Amino acid sequence: MNGPMVSRSASQESVLQTNKVLRNTYALLSMTLVWSALVASVSMAMNLPRPGLIIMLVGFYGLLFLTEKNRNNNMGLVFTFLFTGFLGYTIGPILNMYLGAGMGDVVVTALGGTALAFIGASAYALTTKRDLSFLGGMLMAGFVVLLVGMVANIFLQMPMLHMAMSGMFVLFSTGVILLTTQQIVRGGETNYISATISLYVSIYNLFISLLSLLGIMNND
């Protein structure tokens, strides 16, 4: 007699846990996006220089490592805001460059495109019954291609390669949003800090890539 009741209780507990992870993820993601926007605004106002490649790599991967390492304790939140604040700082000089070139419309379009892509991908992942786990292998292969392409472009500096890489980043980031969101919904991702970082980095890459694509299309 207790079997079905225990089963229902476990199922309800699983749903509650999933909803909690989803709620905490979107709450933290919203706060980090606002925080990044504030840091980017300060960076723009102070006309801070764009960090060099070494600083960018050390800051990005160093803070990302520390965030993931501490994702199960309170320091994880501290490093989450340090990480997203650092990326917010890197956006400031990029936006100043576009605005200084009279391309404010490109910035607005990129922001709108990023928002639409995130909302659309999230809505699909939240509502579809299709298993999107097949994206995992494709994204891993895509990451390797992107890594090779980025290294090659450092030396080649080819506009067409840069444009192709930006287009691939748009697809890759959208795929990560789809997969991460469904993993949360289906219980595959149970840590809201990790989920937040995955979604935030995808949004960041999506925005920067759209800026690049739109900038190139505007012949600047």
Side-chain angles (χ1 to χ4, degrees):
M1 293 293 292
N2 291 333
M5 296 181 62
V6 172
S7 178
R8 283 197 298 271
S9 177
S11 177
Q12 290 171 353
E13 183 65 28
S14 177
V15 171
L16 289 174
Q17 177 63 24
T18 297
N19 290 339
K20 180 180 179 181
V21 174
L22 187 63
R23 184 173 61 252
N24 288 344
T25 297
Y26 280 110
L28 183 57
L29 181 63
S30 299
M31 288 187 285
T32 55
L33 290 174
V34 171
W35 166 241
S36 288
L38 290 174
V39 175
S41 299
V42 172
S43 178
M44 293 174 67
M46 297 180 65
N47 200 27
L48 296 178
R50 190 173 181 178
L53 179 62
I54 294 178
I55 294 177
M56 184 68 187
L57 291 176
V58 172
F60 181 91
Y61 288 105
L63 289 171
L64 180 62
F65 170 78
L66 290 171
T67 302
E68 285 295 327
K69 183 177 176 61
N70 293 276
R71 64 180 183 171
N72 293 315
N73 58 61
N74 291 333
M75 285 303 297
L77 289 173
V78 174
F79 285 116
T80 295
F81 281 96
L82 286 175
F83 175 71
T84 55
F86 174 75
L87 290 185
Y89 152 62
T90 67
I91 291 176
I94 298 174
L95 294 182
N96 274 341
M97 180 179 66
Y98 278 83
L99 295 176
M103 300 175 69
D105 58 326
V106 169
V107 174
V108 173
T109 303
L111 280 172
T114 301
L116 286 175
F118 175 74
I119 292 172
S122 298
Y124 179 78
L126 288 169
T127 56
T128 186
K129 297 185 183 303
R130 185 180 183 185
D131 184 5
L132 301 177
S133 60
F134 70 92
L135 289 174
M138 296 173 61
L139 290 174
M140 181 58 67
F143 176 77
V144 174
V145 173
L146 286 169
L147 187 61
V148 172
M150 286 189 295
V151 173
N153 202 41
I154 292 175
F155 300 99
L156 299 176
Q157 294 294 311
M158 297 172 57
M160 290 305 297
L161 178 58
H162 179 75
M163 187 173 183
M165 295 293 296
S166 296
M168 286 189 65
F169 260 115
V170 170
L171 296 175
F172 179 82
S173 300
T174 303
V176 173
I177 292 170
L178 285 167
L179 184 59
T180 301
T181 303
Q182 189 174 83
Q183 284 179 334
I184 297 172
V185 173
R186 298 194 174 188
E189 176 58 79
T190 59
N191 188 285
Y192 73 98
I193 290 180
S194 291
T196 297
I197 291 299
S198 293
L199 294 175
Y200 176 92
V201 171
S202 297
I203 292 171
Y204 176 90
N205 285 331
L206 195 54
F207 176 61
I208 296 299
S209 299
L210 286 175
L211 268 182
S212 296
L213 285 172
L214 293 170
I216 293 173
M217 291 177 182
N218 277 267
N219 296 320
D220 195 321

PDB file of all heavy atoms in Angstrom, residues 47-82:
ATOM      1  N   ASN A  47      36.299  55.018 -19.981  1.00  0.00           N
ATOM      2  CA  ASN A  47      37.067  54.764 -21.204  1.00  0.00           C
ATOM      3  C   ASN A  47      38.248  53.830 -20.936  1.00  0.00           C
ATOM      4  O   ASN A  47      39.373  54.073 -21.376  1.00  0.00           O
ATOM      5  CB  ASN A  47      37.563  56.087 -21.802  1.00  0.00           C
ATOM      6  CG  ASN A  47      37.928  55.950 -23.272  1.00  0.00           C
ATOM      7  OD1 ASN A  47      37.403  55.094 -23.983  1.00  0.00           O
ATOM      8  ND2 ASN A  47      38.847  56.777 -23.731  1.00  0.00           N
ATOM      9  N   LEU A  48      37.974  52.751 -20.206  1.00  0.00           N
ATOM     10  CA  LEU A  48      39.026  51.801 -19.858  1.00  0.00           C
ATOM     11  C   LEU A  48      39.488  51.042 -21.100  1.00  0.00           C
ATOM     12  O   LEU A  48      38.700  50.792 -22.010  1.00  0.00           O
ATOM     13  CB  LEU A  48      38.503  50.814 -18.805  1.00  0.00           C
ATOM     14  CG  LEU A  48      38.134  51.416 -17.451  1.00  0.00           C
ATOM     15  CD1 LEU A  48      37.577  50.344 -16.526  1.00  0.00           C
ATOM     16  CD2 LEU A  48      39.337  52.096 -16.810  1.00  0.00           C
ATOM     17  N   PRO A  49      40.764  50.681 -21.148  1.00  0.00           N
ATOM     18  CA  PRO A  49      41.292  49.980 -22.327  1.00  0.00           C
ATOM     19  C   PRO A  49      40.806  48.533 -22.375  1.00  0.00           C
ATOM     20  O   PRO A  49      40.503  47.925 -21.348  1.00  0.00           O
ATOM     21  CB  PRO A  49      42.801  50.049 -22.132  1.00  0.00           C
ATOM     22  CG  PRO A  49      42.969  50.092 -20.640  1.00  0.00           C
ATOM     23  CD  PRO A  49      41.815  50.918 -20.139  1.00  0.00           C
ATOM     24  N   ARG A  50      40.778  47.997 -23.572  1.00  0.00           N
ATOM     25  CA  ARG A  50      40.412  46.593 -23.746  1.00  0.00           C
ATOM     26  C   ARG A  50      41.566  45.724 -23.259  1.00  0.00           C
ATOM     27  O   ARG A  50      42.725  45.989 -23.591  1.00  0.00           O
ATOM     28  CB  ARG A  50      40.139  46.312 -25.221  1.00  0.00           C
ATOM     29  CG  ARG A  50      39.524  44.949 -25.489  1.00  0.00           C
ATOM     30  CD  ARG A  50      39.136  44.826 -26.949  1.00  0.00           C
ATOM     31  NE  ARG A  50      38.529  43.531 -27.221  1.00  0.00           N
ATOM     32  CZ  ARG A  50      38.060  43.182 -28.420  1.00  0.00           C
ATOM     33  NH1 ARG A  50      38.143  44.033 -29.435  1.00  0.00           N
ATOM     34  NH2 ARG A  50      37.519  41.991 -28.597  1.00  0.00           N
ATOM     35  N   PRO A  51      41.284  44.709 -22.433  1.00  0.00           N
ATOM     36  CA  PRO A  51      42.374  43.857 -21.921  1.00  0.00           C
ATOM     37  C   PRO A  51      43.061  43.091 -23.038  1.00  0.00           C
ATOM     38  O   PRO A  51      42.427  42.716 -24.030  1.00  0.00           O
ATOM     39  CB  PRO A  51      41.662  42.911 -20.958  1.00  0.00           C
ATOM     40  CG  PRO A  51      40.249  42.873 -21.438  1.00  0.00           C
ATOM     41  CD  PRO A  51      39.971  44.250 -21.972  1.00  0.00           C
ATOM     42  N   GLY A  52      44.346  42.859 -22.889  1.00  0.00           N
ATOM     43  CA  GLY A  52      45.087  42.089 -23.878  1.00  0.00           C
ATOM     44  C   GLY A  52      44.696  40.627 -23.846  1.00  0.00           C
ATOM     45  O   GLY A  52      43.952  40.173 -22.966  1.00  0.00           O
ATOM     46  N   LEU A  53      45.221  39.880 -24.799  1.00  0.00           N
ATOM     47  CA  LEU A  53      44.868  38.470 -24.939  1.00  0.00           C
ATOM     48  C   LEU A  53      45.215  37.670 -23.692  1.00  0.00           C
ATOM     49  O   LEU A  53      44.407  36.859 -23.217  1.00  0.00           O
ATOM     50  CB  LEU A  53      45.572  37.883 -26.159  1.00  0.00           C
ATOM     51  CG  LEU A  53      45.323  36.387 -26.431  1.00  0.00           C
ATOM     52  CD1 LEU A  53      43.847  36.136 -26.706  1.00  0.00           C
ATOM     53  CD2 LEU A  53      46.182  35.901 -27.595  1.00  0.00           C
ATOM     54  N   ILE A  54      46.401  37.892 -23.135  1.00  0.00           N
ATOM     55  CA  ILE A  54      46.839  37.120 -21.961  1.00  0.00           C
ATOM     56  C   ILE A  54      45.949  37.419 -20.760  1.00  0.00           C
ATOM     57  O   ILE A  54      45.491  36.506 -20.052  1.00  0.00           O
ATOM     58  CB  ILE A  54      48.312  37.416 -21.639  1.00  0.00           C
ATOM     59  CG1 ILE A  54      49.215  36.910 -22.768  1.00  0.00           C
ATOM     60  CG2 ILE A  54      48.710  36.753 -20.314  1.00  0.00           C
ATOM     61  CD1 ILE A  54      50.679  37.199 -22.572  1.00  0.00           C
ATOM     62  N   ILE A  55      45.683  38.705 -20.520  1.00  0.00           N
ATOM     63  CA  ILE A  55      44.822  39.085 -19.390  1.00  0.00           C
ATOM     64  C   ILE A  55      43.426  38.504 -19.580  1.00  0.00           C
ATOM     65  O   ILE A  55      42.804  38.021 -18.633  1.00  0.00           O
ATOM     66  CB  ILE A  55      44.755  40.618 -19.251  1.00  0.00           C
ATOM     67  CG1 ILE A  55      46.124  41.168 -18.862  1.00  0.00           C
ATOM     68  CG2 ILE A  55      43.705  41.012 -18.210  1.00  0.00           C
ATOM     69  CD1 ILE A  55      46.168  42.678 -18.780  1.00  0.00           C
ATOM     70  N   MET A  56      42.942  38.546 -20.813  1.00  0.00           N
ATOM     71  CA  MET A  56      41.608  38.020 -21.106  1.00  0.00           C
ATOM     72  C   MET A  56      41.538  36.527 -20.827  1.00  0.00           C
ATOM     73  O   MET A  56      40.598  36.042 -20.186  1.00  0.00           O
ATOM     74  CB  MET A  56      41.264  38.298 -22.575  1.00  0.00           C
ATOM     75  CG  MET A  56      39.865  37.871 -22.965  1.00  0.00           C
ATOM     76  SD  MET A  56      38.609  38.873 -22.151  1.00  0.00           S
ATOM     77  CE  MET A  56      37.127  37.982 -22.639  1.00  0.00           C
ATOM     78  N   LEU A  57      42.528  35.785 -21.295  1.00  0.00           N
ATOM     79  CA  LEU A  57      42.531  34.332 -21.103  1.00  0.00           C
ATOM     80  C   LEU A  57      42.681  33.957 -19.631  1.00  0.00           C
ATOM     81  O   LEU A  57      41.969  33.080 -19.128  1.00  0.00           O
ATOM     82  CB  LEU A  57      43.652  33.700 -21.927  1.00  0.00           C
ATOM     83  CG  LEU A  57      43.470  33.724 -23.450  1.00  0.00           C
ATOM     84  CD1 LEU A  57      44.707  33.164 -24.141  1.00  0.00           C
ATOM     85  CD2 LEU A  57      42.234  32.939 -23.861  1.00  0.00           C
ATOM     86  N   VAL A  58      43.618  34.626 -18.940  1.00  0.00           N
ATOM     87  CA  VAL A  58      43.842  34.334 -17.522  1.00  0.00           C
ATOM     88  C   VAL A  58      42.615  34.706 -16.697  1.00  0.00           C
ATOM     89  O   VAL A  58      42.168  33.935 -15.831  1.00  0.00           O
ATOM     90  CB  VAL A  58      45.083  35.075 -17.002  1.00  0.00           C
ATOM     91  CG1 VAL A  58      45.193  34.936 -15.481  1.00  0.00           C
ATOM     92  CG2 VAL A  58      46.344  34.550 -17.667  1.00  0.00           C
ATOM     93  N   GLY A  59      42.056  35.882 -16.971  1.00  0.00           N
ATOM     94  CA  GLY A  59      40.866  36.317 -16.235  1.00  0.00           C
ATOM     95  C   GLY A  59      39.680  35.417 -16.483  1.00  0.00           C
ATOM     96  O   GLY A  59      38.975  35.020 -15.543  1.00  0.00           O
ATOM     97  N   PHE A  60      39.452  35.068 -17.747  1.00  0.00           N
ATOM     98  CA  PHE A  60      38.288  34.246 -18.096  1.00  0.00           C
ATOM     99  C   PHE A  60      38.401  32.843 -17.510  1.00  0.00           C
ATOM    100  O   PHE A  60      37.546  32.406 -16.737  1.00  0.00           O
ATOM    101  CB  PHE A  60      38.144  34.175 -19.622  1.00  0.00           C
ATOM    102  CG  PHE A  60      36.954  33.373 -20.073  1.00  0.00           C
ATOM    103  CD1 PHE A  60      35.736  33.993 -20.286  1.00  0.00           C
ATOM    104  CD2 PHE A  60      37.049  32.003 -20.301  1.00  0.00           C
ATOM    105  CE1 PHE A  60      34.627  33.257 -20.709  1.00  0.00           C
ATOM    106  CE2 PHE A  60      35.957  31.268 -20.717  1.00  0.00           C
ATOM    107  CZ  PHE A  60      34.744  31.898 -20.921  1.00  0.00           C
ATOM    108  N   TYR A  61      39.483  32.134 -17.867  1.00  0.00           N
ATOM    109  CA  TYR A  61      39.592  30.736 -17.454  1.00  0.00           C
ATOM    110  C   TYR A  61      39.938  30.596 -15.973  1.00  0.00           C
ATOM    111  O   TYR A  61      39.520  29.631 -15.326  1.00  0.00           O
ATOM    112  CB  TYR A  61      40.608  30.005 -18.329  1.00  0.00           C
ATOM    113  CG  TYR A  61      40.097  29.770 -19.724  1.00  0.00           C
ATOM    114  CD1 TYR A  61      40.565  30.521 -20.800  1.00  0.00           C
ATOM    115  CD2 TYR A  61      39.119  28.819 -19.964  1.00  0.00           C
ATOM    116  CE1 TYR A  61      40.076  30.322 -22.086  1.00  0.00           C
ATOM    117  CE2 TYR A  61      38.618  28.614 -21.246  1.00  0.00           C
ATOM    118  CZ  TYR A  61      39.099  29.371 -22.296  1.00  0.00           C
ATOM    119  OH  TYR A  61      38.598  29.171 -23.565  1.00  0.00           O
ATOM    120  N   GLY A  62      40.685  31.564 -15.445  1.00  0.00           N
ATOM    121  CA  GLY A  62      41.011  31.521 -14.016  1.00  0.00           C
ATOM    122  C   GLY A  62      39.774  31.678 -13.158  1.00  0.00           C
ATOM    123  O   GLY A  62      39.521  30.882 -12.237  1.00  0.00           O
ATOM    124  N   LEU A  63      38.967  32.699 -13.448  1.00  0.00           N
ATOM    125  CA  LEU A  63      37.749  32.930 -12.673  1.00  0.00           C
ATOM    126  C   LEU A  63      36.700  31.859 -12.937  1.00  0.00           C
ATOM    127  O   LEU A  63      35.940  31.483 -12.035  1.00  0.00           O
ATOM    128  CB  LEU A  63      37.181  34.317 -12.996  1.00  0.00           C
ATOM    129  CG  LEU A  63      37.998  35.497 -12.462  1.00  0.00           C
ATOM    130  CD1 LEU A  63      37.473  36.819 -13.013  1.00  0.00           C
ATOM    131  CD2 LEU A  63      37.968  35.521 -10.929  1.00  0.00           C
ATOM    132  N   LEU A  64      36.677  31.348 -14.169  1.00  0.00           N
ATOM    133  CA  LEU A  64      35.748  30.252 -14.478  1.00  0.00           C
ATOM    134  C   LEU A  64      36.095  29.013 -13.666  1.00  0.00           C
ATOM    135  O   LEU A  64      35.208  28.352 -13.104  1.00  0.00           O
ATOM    136  CB  LEU A  64      35.807  29.933 -15.975  1.00  0.00           C
ATOM    137  CG  LEU A  64      34.889  28.816 -16.471  1.00  0.00           C
ATOM    138  CD1 LEU A  64      33.430  29.177 -16.238  1.00  0.00           C
ATOM    139  CD2 LEU A  64      35.138  28.549 -17.958  1.00  0.00           C
ATOM    140  N   PHE A  65      37.388  28.702 -13.574  1.00  0.00           N
ATOM    141  CA  PHE A  65      37.837  27.545 -12.786  1.00  0.00           C
ATOM    142  C   PHE A  65      37.471  27.719 -11.311  1.00  0.00           C
ATOM    143  O   PHE A  65      36.953  26.787 -10.674  1.00  0.00           O
ATOM    144  CB  PHE A  65      39.342  27.367 -12.934  1.00  0.00           C
ATOM    145  CG  PHE A  65      39.935  26.359 -11.991  1.00  0.00           C
ATOM    146  CD1 PHE A  65      39.811  24.999 -12.235  1.00  0.00           C
ATOM    147  CD2 PHE A  65      40.593  26.768 -10.836  1.00  0.00           C
ATOM    148  CE1 PHE A  65      40.340  24.064 -11.353  1.00  0.00           C
ATOM    149  CE2 PHE A  65      41.126  25.843  -9.948  1.00  0.00           C
ATOM    150  CZ  PHE A  65      40.992  24.483 -10.206  1.00  0.00           C
ATOM    151  N   LEU A  66      37.726  28.900 -10.767  1.00  0.00           N
ATOM    152  CA  LEU A  66      37.434  29.148  -9.354  1.00  0.00           C
ATOM    153  C   LEU A  66      35.932  29.093  -9.073  1.00  0.00           C
ATOM    154  O   LEU A  66      35.509  28.634  -8.006  1.00  0.00           O
ATOM    155  CB  LEU A  66      38.002  30.506  -8.939  1.00  0.00           C
ATOM    156  CG  LEU A  66      39.535  30.587  -8.877  1.00  0.00           C
ATOM    157  CD1 LEU A  66      39.986  32.033  -8.661  1.00  0.00           C
ATOM    158  CD2 LEU A  66      40.069  29.694  -7.763  1.00  0.00           C
ATOM    159  N   THR A  67      35.144  29.569 -10.028  1.00  0.00           N
ATOM    160  CA  THR A  67      33.690  29.520  -9.854  1.00  0.00           C
ATOM    161  C   THR A  67      33.191  28.086  -9.806  1.00  0.00           C
ATOM    162  O   THR A  67      32.409  27.706  -8.929  1.00  0.00           O
ATOM    163  CB  THR A  67      32.994  30.279 -11.001  1.00  0.00           C
ATOM    164  OG1 THR A  67      33.459  31.629 -11.037  1.00  0.00           O
ATOM    165  CG2 THR A  67      31.482  30.286 -10.793  1.00  0.00           C
ATOM    166  N   GLU A  68      33.648  27.270 -10.759  1.00  0.00           N
ATOM    167  CA  GLU A  68      33.218  25.876 -10.798  1.00  0.00           C
ATOM    168  C   GLU A  68      33.746  25.093  -9.595  1.00  0.00           C
ATOM    169  O   GLU A  68      33.057  24.224  -9.057  1.00  0.00           O
ATOM    170  CB  GLU A  68      33.696  25.220 -12.094  1.00  0.00           C
ATOM    171  CG  GLU A  68      32.909  25.638 -13.320  1.00  0.00           C
ATOM    172  CD  GLU A  68      31.463  25.191 -13.258  1.00  0.00           C
ATOM    173  OE1 GLU A  68      31.174  24.118 -12.690  1.00  0.00           O
ATOM    174  OE2 GLU A  68      30.601  25.920 -13.777  1.00  0.00           O
ATOM    175  N   LYS A  69      34.956  25.403  -9.171  1.00  0.00           N
ATOM    176  CA  LYS A  69      35.548  24.703  -8.031  1.00  0.00           C
ATOM    177  C   LYS A  69      34.758  24.969  -6.747  1.00  0.00           C
ATOM    178  O   LYS A  69      34.675  24.117  -5.865  1.00  0.00           O
ATOM    179  CB  LYS A  69      37.006  25.142  -7.851  1.00  0.00           C
ATOM    180  CG  LYS A  69      37.748  24.413  -6.734  1.00  0.00           C
ATOM    181  CD  LYS A  69      39.198  24.852  -6.667  1.00  0.00           C
ATOM    182  CE  LYS A  69      39.940  24.204  -5.506  1.00  0.00           C
ATOM    183  NZ  LYS A  69      39.969  22.735  -5.604  1.00  0.00           N
ATOM    184  N   ASN A  70      34.184  26.161  -6.634  1.00  0.00           N
ATOM    185  CA  ASN A  70      33.465  26.553  -5.419  1.00  0.00           C
ATOM    186  C   ASN A  70      31.951  26.601  -5.620  1.00  0.00           C
ATOM    187  O   ASN A  70      31.247  27.255  -4.852  1.00  0.00           O
ATOM    188  CB  ASN A  70      33.951  27.934  -4.959  1.00  0.00           C
ATOM    189  CG  ASN A  70      35.381  27.922  -4.485  1.00  0.00           C
ATOM    190  OD1 ASN A  70      35.675  27.594  -3.338  1.00  0.00           O
ATOM    191  ND2 ASN A  70      36.303  28.297  -5.375  1.00  0.00           N
ATOM    192  N   ARG A  71      31.469  25.887  -6.619  1.00  0.00           N
ATOM    193  CA  ARG A  71      30.048  25.981  -6.947  1.00  0.00           C
ATOM    194  C   ARG A  71      29.133  25.430  -5.857  1.00  0.00           C
ATOM    195  O   ARG A  71      27.936  25.739  -5.834  1.00  0.00           O
ATOM    196  CB  ARG A  71      29.778  25.245  -8.260  1.00  0.00           C
ATOM    197  CG  ARG A  71      30.041  23.748  -8.202  1.00  0.00           C
ATOM    198  CD  ARG A  71      29.751  23.095  -9.535  1.00  0.00           C
ATOM    199  NE  ARG A  71      29.937  21.644  -9.472  1.00  0.00           N
ATOM    200  CZ  ARG A  71      29.592  20.820 -10.441  1.00  0.00           C
ATOM    201  NH1 ARG A  71      29.043  21.303 -11.551  1.00  0.00           N
ATOM    202  NH2 ARG A  71      29.786  19.519 -10.315  1.00  0.00           N
ATOM    203  N   ASN A  72      29.679  24.630  -4.954  1.00  0.00           N
ATOM    204  CA  ASN A  72      28.847  24.043  -3.898  1.00  0.00           C
ATOM    205  C   ASN A  72      28.971  24.754  -2.564  1.00  0.00           C
ATOM    206  O   ASN A  72      28.494  24.255  -1.547  1.00  0.00           O
ATOM    207  CB  ASN A  72      29.208  22.557  -3.725  1.00  0.00           C
ATOM    208  CG  ASN A  72      28.834  21.726  -4.934  1.00  0.00           C
ATOM    209  OD1 ASN A  72      27.733  21.858  -5.485  1.00  0.00           O
ATOM    210  ND2 ASN A  72      29.746  20.870  -5.377  1.00  0.00           N
ATOM    211  N   ASN A  73      29.624  25.920  -2.557  1.00  0.00           N
ATOM    212  CA  ASN A  73      29.698  26.699  -1.316  1.00  0.00           C
ATOM    213  C   ASN A  73      29.453  28.171  -1.619  1.00  0.00           C
ATOM    214  O   ASN A  73      29.306  28.567  -2.782  1.00  0.00           O
ATOM    215  CB  ASN A  73      31.055  26.490  -0.613  1.00  0.00           C
ATOM    216  CG  ASN A  73      32.229  26.873  -1.501  1.00  0.00           C
ATOM    217  OD1 ASN A  73      32.355  28.026  -1.912  1.00  0.00           O
ATOM    218  ND2 ASN A  73      33.088  25.908  -1.808  1.00  0.00           N
ATOM    219  N   ASN A  74      29.409  28.990  -0.569  1.00  0.00           N
ATOM    220  CA  ASN A  74      29.066  30.395  -0.737  1.00  0.00           C
ATOM    221  C   ASN A  74      30.075  31.165  -1.577  1.00  0.00           C
ATOM    222  O   ASN A  74      29.730  32.171  -2.207  1.00  0.00           O
ATOM    223  CB  ASN A  74      28.920  31.063   0.631  1.00  0.00           C
ATOM    224  CG  ASN A  74      27.710  30.566   1.391  1.00  0.00           C
ATOM    225  OD1 ASN A  74      26.724  30.138   0.775  1.00  0.00           O
ATOM    226  ND2 ASN A  74      27.753  30.605   2.707  1.00  0.00           N
ATOM    227  N   MET A  75      31.333  30.724  -1.594  1.00  0.00           N
ATOM    228  CA  MET A  75      32.338  31.412  -2.401  1.00  0.00           C
ATOM    229  C   MET A  75      32.025  31.291  -3.896  1.00  0.00           C
ATOM    230  O   MET A  75      32.490  32.101  -4.692  1.00  0.00           O
ATOM    231  CB  MET A  75      33.727  30.845  -2.115  1.00  0.00           C
ATOM    232  CG  MET A  75      34.316  31.277  -0.779  1.00  0.00           C
ATOM    233  SD  MET A  75      34.424  33.078  -0.611  1.00  0.00           S
ATOM    234  CE  MET A  75      35.580  33.478  -1.927  1.00  0.00           C
ATOM    235  N   GLY A  76      31.228  30.307  -4.245  1.00  0.00           N
ATOM    236  CA  GLY A  76      30.834  30.160  -5.641  1.00  0.00           C
ATOM    237  C   GLY A  76      30.085  31.380  -6.137  1.00  0.00           C
ATOM    238  O   GLY A  76      30.279  31.817  -7.280  1.00  0.00           O
ATOM    239  N   LEU A  77      29.234  31.949  -5.289  1.00  0.00           N
ATOM    240  CA  LEU A  77      28.501  33.167  -5.661  1.00  0.00           C
ATOM    241  C   LEU A  77      29.443  34.351  -5.805  1.00  0.00           C
ATOM    242  O   LEU A  77      29.285  35.178  -6.712  1.00  0.00           O
ATOM    243  CB  LEU A  77      27.430  33.472  -4.610  1.00  0.00           C
ATOM    244  CG  LEU A  77      26.221  32.526  -4.574  1.00  0.00           C
ATOM    245  CD1 LEU A  77      25.340  32.848  -3.391  1.00  0.00           C
ATOM    246  CD2 LEU A  77      25.436  32.628  -5.881  1.00  0.00           C
ATOM    247  N   VAL A  78      30.436  34.427  -4.908  1.00  0.00           N
ATOM    248  CA  VAL A  78      31.411  35.519  -4.987  1.00  0.00           C
ATOM    249  C   VAL A  78      32.166  35.463  -6.311  1.00  0.00           C
ATOM    250  O   VAL A  78      32.293  36.464  -7.022  1.00  0.00           O
ATOM    251  CB  VAL A  78      32.409  35.450  -3.804  1.00  0.00           C
ATOM    252  CG1 VAL A  78      33.512  36.504  -3.973  1.00  0.00           C
ATOM    253  CG2 VAL A  78      31.678  35.639  -2.484  1.00  0.00           C
ATOM    254  N   PHE A  79      32.653  34.280  -6.664  1.00  0.00           N
ATOM    255  CA  PHE A  79      33.399  34.137  -7.909  1.00  0.00           C
ATOM    256  C   PHE A  79      32.493  34.278  -9.130  1.00  0.00           C
ATOM    257  O   PHE A  79      32.953  34.713 -10.196  1.00  0.00           O
ATOM    258  CB  PHE A  79      34.132  32.790  -7.941  1.00  0.00           C
ATOM    259  CG  PHE A  79      35.338  32.742  -7.057  1.00  0.00           C
ATOM    260  CD1 PHE A  79      35.394  31.877  -5.970  1.00  0.00           C
ATOM    261  CD2 PHE A  79      36.421  33.583  -7.291  1.00  0.00           C
ATOM    262  CE1 PHE A  79      36.512  31.839  -5.149  1.00  0.00           C
ATOM    263  CE2 PHE A  79      37.542  33.552  -6.474  1.00  0.00           C
ATOM    264  CZ  PHE A  79      37.592  32.682  -5.405  1.00  0.00           C
ATOM    265  N   THR A  80      31.213  33.944  -8.989  1.00  0.00           N
ATOM    266  CA  THR A  80      30.267  34.150 -10.086  1.00  0.00           C
ATOM    267  C   THR A  80      30.180  35.627 -10.441  1.00  0.00           C
ATOM    268  O   THR A  80      30.228  36.007 -11.626  1.00  0.00           O
ATOM    269  CB  THR A  80      28.870  33.625  -9.716  1.00  0.00           C
ATOM    270  OG1 THR A  80      28.920  32.206  -9.553  1.00  0.00           O
ATOM    271  CG2 THR A  80      27.850  33.965 -10.790  1.00  0.00           C
ATOM    272  N   PHE A  81      30.083  36.471  -9.418  1.00  0.00           N
ATOM    273  CA  PHE A  81      29.985  37.910  -9.676  1.00  0.00           C
ATOM    274  C   PHE A  81      31.327  38.505 -10.100  1.00  0.00           C
ATOM    275  O   PHE A  81      31.362  39.453 -10.884  1.00  0.00           O
ATOM    276  CB  PHE A  81      29.419  38.627  -8.454  1.00  0.00           C
ATOM    277  CG  PHE A  81      27.931  38.498  -8.323  1.00  0.00           C
ATOM    278  CD1 PHE A  81      27.374  37.515  -7.512  1.00  0.00           C
ATOM    279  CD2 PHE A  81      27.082  39.331  -9.033  1.00  0.00           C
ATOM    280  CE1 PHE A  81      25.996  37.370  -7.418  1.00  0.00           C
ATOM    281  CE2 PHE A  81      25.701  39.205  -8.942  1.00  0.00           C
ATOM    282  CZ  PHE A  81      25.159  38.221  -8.133  1.00  0.00           C
ATOM    283  N   LEU A  82      32.426  37.949  -9.620  1.00  0.00           N
ATOM    284  CA  LEU A  82      33.743  38.397 -10.098  1.00  0.00           C
ATOM    285  C   LEU A  82      33.913  38.045 -11.574  1.00  0.00           C
ATOM    286  O   LEU A  82      34.400  38.855 -12.371  1.00  0.00           O
ATOM    287  CB  LEU A  82      34.858  37.749  -9.263  1.00  0.00           C
ATOM    288  CG  LEU A  82      35.051  38.280  -7.844  1.00  0.00           C
ATOM    289  CD1 LEU A  82      36.106  37.452  -7.109  1.00  0.00           C
ATOM    290  CD2 LEU A  82      35.463  39.750  -7.853  1.00  0.00           C
TER     291      LEU A  82
END
